[in-house]
């Protein structure tokens, strides 16, 4: 070190007494004590263009200092001229040491955030006026224009949930920002206004250090970097962003396209930080500089996804005085809908919602409102999950055909799907909906047995085809006859007086067993949902299916499990609903969540049933099993495993049901809480024991106004239906519980 000190004295006339290393990603930085003050010593590894880069940074710092309101470090020139000296195979330079605390350690109130906005505005003005760049910089991983260089490390993020959020934000960035890349204003930006580079004094931002990441890029990228760090650990990140942006705009007016893309640019910076930290931590696992802010970044990306782009765009336009893009009102939608669609299609809630976007367990109205979705079970792994989007997009780009050709995706998906079934269920037919799957399952059963009658449960629902409606008591209307349908009473434990220890199953199956004996010669199949959805989220009693399946098979019939609503890990411990009862059906119907919103369904059956069906007319589905559908289905299976969503469903569901039961101890309105995993029903009864249908509707609409979406179901529509996308977590459960509890405490629950 003495030799280096001697070189510093020779080139700068300074006499160093000590150096203290500072953290950083690449080049080494030291705080240097010398006679007369402190300085910053930078050590650079030589490489192509390195010397030109140092000279460029020197010019840039000097440019930023001219007429500046904020402080930027000065480059100390060497005696012989230039910005650096060479020693021992490395390049060294000395910069002015600016006094002040760091933003990371400061109290960040509104005044502070406004000063941050003014700094970022000054940076934009300086960057825009820097002029021609004498070198052509190589692509730089910390430049938002080249976010893909960081995103390649996404798979190195340890937490699968954060990995998916990052992938989602990256895909949104690609779709929204990149098409506008060449229209955004550019300049030579600082590019690293992070909370350890921003200097603070007396509660306000005073300056900025470290131009090592400066690059020629979008002016709005510099704003996005600075705002991102201003949002860390804020309860209301969007309000903090608005405060910063308002002050920025007063110094350097933002362009409309920059304001509209700012949400995605901030999301891109979050992706960059998380991916780079995950990658670099492998080589520097103990570096606090790399890991210190990652908890805050992870929290912020969760918050940012929930805020959504619609609210951000409207907020950013409002604070900068830009005209709003008008949001079409509900009445306009209603009139168009009434003119174009059938009145048989219903709308949810007293005040229907105009939805514009969605992400994971959140949905976004066209007015910017963000809703917690505790209702839409079709989006099993979350709305717009990036893995499903990526794979279906790629499949649609490369091949979409039908089963009259060989192609890999249908086979790899079938193999992956059948691994979740016992060996006896070894054949799969792909269709394009749960309703089509029901229709096919009934055809299979009738062809195999040579019989026509099907036994189903009251209040059950199995699809919208003619065959499905015939066995769906939930859709039956007085006066309509379905001669090939036998109905058994819904075996509901609650209110039966029997315990669910096998006793209820034994007693509640008697009626069904009697009908099986009476109609045995004509009975083709028995069909049931393991937990009845439209019946009011009613689990079948333990022992019920075991007795019924045994009786059906004894007379030569087949047993069908309708897993459309409860399958694919929703129940937590059990991937399929039939597993919770210790039985194995002959046919399984799949749909709804199978493709995460992509129209996909299937029937899984035994080899014997499939071979028998092949002796009849050829089965062909134009869209069943196409490559895009198979890509969606395989992605769902992989995400369920990678993110361990069934386990999360089990843990979150157990917690939510326990808390709902505790809430029921306070509120007599809650009569029963039932279900499994994240398929939950809360039955409401009045003090006289009658169904609390009106109260259930009030709660549903109240929660909608509180930005939480649930629904109601059951024969009397008095059961709160909770079946969210599986990313729904404990924090989401707490929000639902808090808002439901607030309603119950305020309202009279007894009438």
């Amino acid at each position: 070190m003495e030799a280096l000190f001697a070189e510093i004295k020779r080139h700068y006339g300074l006499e160093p007494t000590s150096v203290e290393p500072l953290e950083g990603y690449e080049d080494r930085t030291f705080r240097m004590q010398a006679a007369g003050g402190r300085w910053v010593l930078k050590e650079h590894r030589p490489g192509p263009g390195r010397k030109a880069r140092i000279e460029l940074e020197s010019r840039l710092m000097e440019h930023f200092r001219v007429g500046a309101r904020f402080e930027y470090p000065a480059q100390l020139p060497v005696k012989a001229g230039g910005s650096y000296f060479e020693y021992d195979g490395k390049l060294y330079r000395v910069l002015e040491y600016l006094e002040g605390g760091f933003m990371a350690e400061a109290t960040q109130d509104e005044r502070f955030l406004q000063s941050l906005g003014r700094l970022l505005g000054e940076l934009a003005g300086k960057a825009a006026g820097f002029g021609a760049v004498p070198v052509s910089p190589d692509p730089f991983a910390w430049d938002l224009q080249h976010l893909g260089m960081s995103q390649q490390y996404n798979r190195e993020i340890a937490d699968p949930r954060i990995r998916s959020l990052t992938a989602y934000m990256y895909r949104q960035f690609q779709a929204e920002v990149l098409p506008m890349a060449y229209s955004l204003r550019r300049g030579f930006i600082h590019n690293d206004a992070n909370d350890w580079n921003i200097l603070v004094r007396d509660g306000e931002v005073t300056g900025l250090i470290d131009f090592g990441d400066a690059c020629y890029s979008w002016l709005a990228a510099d704003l996005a970097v600075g705002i991102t760090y201003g949002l860390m650990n804020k309860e209301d990140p969007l309000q903090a962003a608005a405060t910063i942006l308002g002050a920025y705009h007063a110094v350097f007016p933002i362009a409309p396209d920059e304001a509209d893309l700012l949400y995605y640019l901030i999301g891109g910076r979050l992706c960059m930080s998380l991916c780079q930290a995950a990658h670099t931590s492998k080589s520097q696992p103990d570096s606090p500089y790399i890991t210190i802010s990652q908890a805050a970044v992870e929290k912020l990306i969760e918050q940012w996804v929930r805020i959504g782009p619609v609210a951000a765009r409207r907020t950013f336009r409002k604070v900068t005085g830009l005209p709003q893009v008008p949001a079409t009102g509900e009445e306009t939608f209603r009139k168009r809908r009434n003119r174009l669609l059938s009145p048989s299609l219903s709308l949810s809630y007293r005040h229907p919602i105009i939805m514009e976007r969605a992400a994971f367990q959140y949905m976004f109205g066209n007015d910017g409102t963000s809703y917690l979705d505790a209702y839409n079970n079709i989006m099993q792994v979350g709305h717009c999950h990036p893995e499903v989007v990526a794979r279906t997009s790629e499949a649609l780009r490369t091949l979409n055909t039908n089963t009259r050709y060989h192609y890999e995706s249908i086979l790899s998906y079938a193999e992956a799907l059948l691994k979740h079934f016992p060996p006896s269920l070894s054949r799969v037919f792909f269709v394009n909906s749960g309703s089509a799957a029901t229709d096919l399952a009934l055809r299979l059963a009738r062809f195999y047995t040579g019989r026509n009658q099907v036994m189903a449960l009251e209040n059950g629902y199995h699809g919208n085809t003619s065959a499905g409606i015939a066995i769906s008591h939930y859709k039956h209307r007085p006066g309509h006859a379905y001669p090939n349908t036998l109905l058994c009473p819904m075996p509901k434990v609650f209110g039966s007086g029997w315990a669910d220890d096998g006793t209820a199953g034994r007693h509640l199956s008697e009626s069904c067993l009697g009908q099986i004996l009476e109609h045995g010669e004509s009975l083709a199949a028995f069909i049931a949902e393991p937990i009845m959805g439209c019946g009011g989220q009613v689990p079948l009693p333990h022992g019920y299916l075991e007795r019924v399946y045994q009786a059906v098979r004894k007379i030569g019939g087949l047993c069908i499990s309708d897993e459309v609503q409860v399958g694919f890990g929703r129940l937590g411990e059990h991937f399929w609903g039939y597993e919770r009862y210790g039985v194995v059906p002959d046919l399984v119907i799949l749909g709804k969540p199978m493709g995460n919103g992509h129209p996909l369904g299937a029937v899984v059956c035994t080899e014997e049933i499939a071979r028998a069906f092949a002796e009849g007319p050829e089965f062909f589905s134009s869209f069943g099993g196409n490559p895009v559908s198979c890509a969606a289905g395989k992605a769902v299976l992989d995400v369920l495993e990678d993110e361990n969503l069934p386990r999360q469903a089990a843990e979150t569901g157990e917690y939510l049901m326990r808390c709902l039961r505790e809430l029921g101890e306070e509120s007599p309105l809650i009569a029963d809480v039932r279900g499994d995993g994240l398929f939950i029903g809360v039955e409401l009864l009045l003090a006289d024991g009658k169904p609390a249908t009106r109260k259930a509707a009030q709660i549903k609409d109240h929660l909608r106004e509180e930005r939480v979406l649930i629904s109601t179901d059951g024969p009397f529509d008095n059961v709160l239906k909770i079946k969210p996308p599986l990313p729904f977590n404990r924090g989401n459960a707490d929000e639902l519980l808090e808002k439901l509890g607030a309603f119950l405490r305020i309202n009279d629950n007894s009438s």
Side-chain angles (χ1 to χ4, degrees):
M1 192 62 73
E2 289 182 4
L4 176 59
F5 285 0
E7 288 295 310
I8 292 171
K9 181 178 180 180
R10 183 165 72 88
H11 289 289
Y12 293 104
L14 299 175
E15 297 186 17
T17 57
S18 64
V19 292
E20 175 188 352
L22 303 174
E23 284 281 359
Y25 267 89
E26 295 179 1
D27 297 325
R28 299 179 69 192
T29 304
F30 303 87
R31 183 188 292 116
M32 183 176 73
Q33 188 71 42
R38 291 191 289 184
W39 304 85
V40 174
L41 175 66
K42 290 272 192 179
E43 177 188 281
H44 305 277
R45 292 187 295 272
R50 172 64 73 179
K51 294 179 180 179
R53 169 72 194 194
I54 292 174
E55 294 292 353
L56 177 61
E57 283 184 32
S58 179
R59 281 185 53 218
L60 190 64
M61 285 188 287
E62 187 58 33
H63 170 75
F64 273 58
R65 284 167 54 82
V66 175
R69 177 176 178 176
F70 293 89
E71 298 176 350
Y72 308 99
Q75 173 82 54
L76 192 63
V78 298
K79 289 181 178 180
S83 303
Y84 60 89
F85 69 90
E86 298 184 56
Y87 168 71
D88 195 25
K90 300 182 182 67
L91 307 177
Y92 291 90
R93 56 184 174 137
V94 175
L95 284 71
E96 175 188 14
Y97 183 89
L98 298 180
E99 298 293 341
F102 291 109
M103 173 180 166
E105 300 169 329
T107 300
Q108 298 178 21
D109 56 15
E110 184 176 12
R111 182 169 70 99
F112 176 91
L113 295 178
Q114 289 172 342
S115 69
L116 174 59
R118 290 191 292 271
L119 167 71
L120 298 174
E122 180 170 280
L123 291 180
K126 295 290 185 181
F130 182 59
V133 181
V135 295
S136 179
D138 292 329
F140 176 46
W142 286 98
D143 180 358
L144 271 173
Q145 294 180 111
H146 306 296
L147 180 57
M149 295 177 68
S150 296
Q151 190 62 22
Q152 64 180 317
Y153 305 130
N154 176 262
R155 300 305 299 179
E156 298 179 20
I157 297 174
D159 186 333
R161 173 65 179 155
I162 299 301
R163 193 163 60 235
S164 287
L165 291 171
T166 304
Y168 167 81
M169 271 298 180
Y170 176 64
R171 181 157 286 275
Q172 300 303 309
F173 182 96
Q174 284 183 305
E176 302 290 344
V177 177
L178 295 188
M180 301 289 291
Y182 297 104
S183 65
L184 295 175
R185 296 181 294 179
R186 296 170 188 259
F188 215 92
I189 64 173
H190 177 274
N191 196 45
D192 197 17
N194 72 53
D195 49 1
W196 291 102
N197 283 340
I198 294 172
L199 300 178
V200 179
R201 203 162 44 244
D202 299 327
E204 291 195 5
V205 171
T206 57
L208 182 67
I209 60 173
D210 194 353
F211 282 67
D213 286 352
C215 60
Y216 187 73
S217 187
W218 304 314
L219 298 181
D222 223 13
L223 170 63
V225 173
I227 282 189
T228 298
Y229 289 95
L231 307 187
M232 302 287 186
N233 299 310
K234 302 295 190 298
E235 287 302 313
D236 189 347
L238 187 56
Q239 179 55 51
T243 300
I244 298 168
L245 180 59
Y248 171 96
H249 184 68
V251 175
F252 187 83
I254 195 168
D257 54 355
E258 294 170 335
D260 290 344
L261 294 177
L262 184 55
Y263 173 85
Y264 304 104
L265 293 169
I266 293 170
R269 178 64 186 200
L270 291 169
C271 293
M272 182 179 289
S273 177
L274 290 163
C275 291
Q276 287 288 346
H279 179 65
T280 309
S281 63
K282 289 189 170 184
S283 58
Q284 302 178 47
D286 300 322
S287 171
Y289 182 83
I290 295 169
T291 59
I292 193 168
S293 64
Q294 291 315 295
V297 177
E298 291 177 2
K299 178 183 177 182
L300 180 55
I301 198 170
E302 291 263 14
Q303 293 173 304
W304 207 238
V305 167
R306 175 158 194 179
I307 286 167
V310 184
R313 182 184 67 232
R314 295 179 68 83
T315 298
F316 295 158
R317 280 184 166 262
K318 180 179 180 181
V319 76
T320 55
L322 294 170
Q324 293 286 358
V325 178
T328 305
E330 198 274 326
E331 184 61 27
T332 300
F333 269 89
R334 186 184 295 274
K335 288 179 179 178
R336 291 175 64 200
R337 183 182 175 105
N338 291 343
R339 179 167 53 85
L340 299 169
L341 306 181
S342 167
S344 64
L345 297 171
S346 64
L347 285 162
S348 295
Y349 308 109
R350 184 173 66 246
H351 301 298
I353 304 168
I354 303 170
M355 288 298 185
E356 186 167 317
R357 304 179 77 108
F360 298 100
Q361 66 269 46
Y362 306 111
M363 302 185 77
F364 311 115
N366 74 336
D367 61 352
T369 303
S370 173
Y371 297 93
L372 171 60
D373 183 4
Y375 168 40
N376 287 290
N377 63 322
I378 295 175
M379 307 303 173
Q380 189 86 338
V381 299
H383 293 274
C384 304
H385 193 287
E387 193 68 22
V388 181
V389 172
R391 294 203 205 173
T392 53
S393 299
E394 179 63 17
L396 195 59
R397 187 183 69 83
T398 53
L399 174 69
N400 199 19
T401 185
N402 59 62
T403 53
R404 289 200 169 105
Y405 302 94
H406 284 305
Y407 48 92
E408 174 60 33
S409 57
I410 192 172
L411 302 178
S412 58
Y413 178 42
E415 288 169 344
L417 179 64
L418 291 174
K419 284 180 181 178
H420 290 277
F421 288 94
S424 62
L425 295 170
S426 61
R427 294 294 185 272
V428 58
F429 294 82
F430 290 116
V431 290
N432 51 283
S433 72
S435 294
T438 294
D439 197 277
L440 176 58
L442 297 180
R443 283 180 58 195
L444 287 163
R446 285 167 171 155
F447 189 90
Y448 182 80
T449 62
R451 305 169 182 176
N452 284 323
Q453 283 196 318
V454 174
M455 178 174 285
L457 300 180
E458 290 179 352
N459 302 307
Y461 176 70
H462 302 285
N464 61 20
T465 66
S466 294
I469 292 295
I471 61 170
S472 298
H473 176 257
Y474 177 78
K475 292 291 186 179
H476 290 183
R477 294 294 179 264
H480 290 198
Y482 301 96
N484 286 323
T485 301
L486 299 173
L487 291 173
C488 296
M490 180 170 67
K492 182 178 176 183
V493 175
F494 175 69
S496 70
W498 290 300
D500 192 17
D501 57 1
T503 306
R506 185 170 63 255
H507 285 280
L508 294 174
S509 63
E510 289 301 326
S511 173
C512 193
L513 296 177
Q515 289 199 66
I516 292 170
L517 288 175
E518 181 181 352
H519 299 277
E521 293 184 0
S522 60
L523 186 64
F526 168 83
I527 184 170
E529 301 168 88
I531 301 180
M532 298 184 65
C534 294
Q537 320 296 93
V538 177
L540 302 183
H542 286 88
Y544 180 90
L545 282 183
E546 184 179 5
R547 290 165 61 84
V548 172
Y549 275 23
Q550 184 178 8
V552 169
R553 285 170 172 154
K554 189 173 182 179
I555 54 90
L558 298 179
C559 301
I560 305 173
S561 184
D562 184 341
E563 300 281 342
V564 168
Q565 292 226 51
V566 300
F568 292 94
R570 173 161 294 279
L571 303 184
E573 182 181 351
H574 302 104
F575 204 79
W576 309 116
Y578 67 78
E579 293 173 323
R580 76 193 302 267
Y581 306 111
V583 298
V584 177
D586 303 299
L587 300 105
V588 178
I589 298 170
L590 307 176
K592 283 193 192 300
M594 191 175 185
N596 208 55
H598 181 89
L600 176 59
V603 177
V604 176
C605 65
T606 66
E607 180 181 2
E608 185 180 6
I609 293 171
R611 286 190 180 279
F613 193 63
E615 296 175 5
E618 177 197 13
F619 171 76
F620 176 71
S621 170
S622 297
F623 303 110
N626 70 76
V628 177
S629 296
C630 290
K634 182 64 163 58
V636 168
L637 291 179
D638 289 345
V639 171
L640 287 170
E641 181 178 354
D642 292 347
E643 298 185 18
N644 210 352
L645 291 178
R647 178 181 175 183
Q648 177 166 310
E651 294 174 351
T652 304
E654 188 278 331
Y655 170 76
L656 180 54
M657 283 194 286
R658 184 177 76 248
C659 293
L660 285 167
R661 291 184 179 116
E662 292 172 358
L663 196 58
E665 294 174 3
E666 303 174 18
S667 171
L669 188 64
I670 295 179
D672 189 35
V673 176
R674 54 182 178 253
D676 205 357
L678 285 176
F679 196 77
I680 299 169
V682 181
E683 184 161 352
L684 308 181
L685 296 178
L686 300 175
D688 59 6
K690 293 181 180 179
T693 302
R694 183 166 166 267
K695 282 289 186 183
Q698 289 175 347
I699 289 173
K700 178 181 73 172
D701 284 321
H702 170 78
L703 290 178
R704 174 253 185 267
E705 299 303 321
E706 291 293 316
R707 304 181 180 185
V708 175
L709 305 181
I710 66 165
S711 190
T712 55
D713 223 326
F716 303 101
D717 216 25
N718 66 318
V719 179
L720 304 182
K721 181 164 56 175
I722 302 169
K723 45 176 190 168
L726 297 192
F728 188 93
N729 56 43
R730 186 164 176 156
N732 300 141
D734 285 335
E735 180 179 348
L736 169 59
L737 290 162
E738 178 185 352
K739 292 176 177 178
L740 174 60
F743 177 90
L744 294 174
R745 282 186 285 273
I746 292 172
N747 289 269
D748 176 17
N749 300 326
S750 61
S751 62

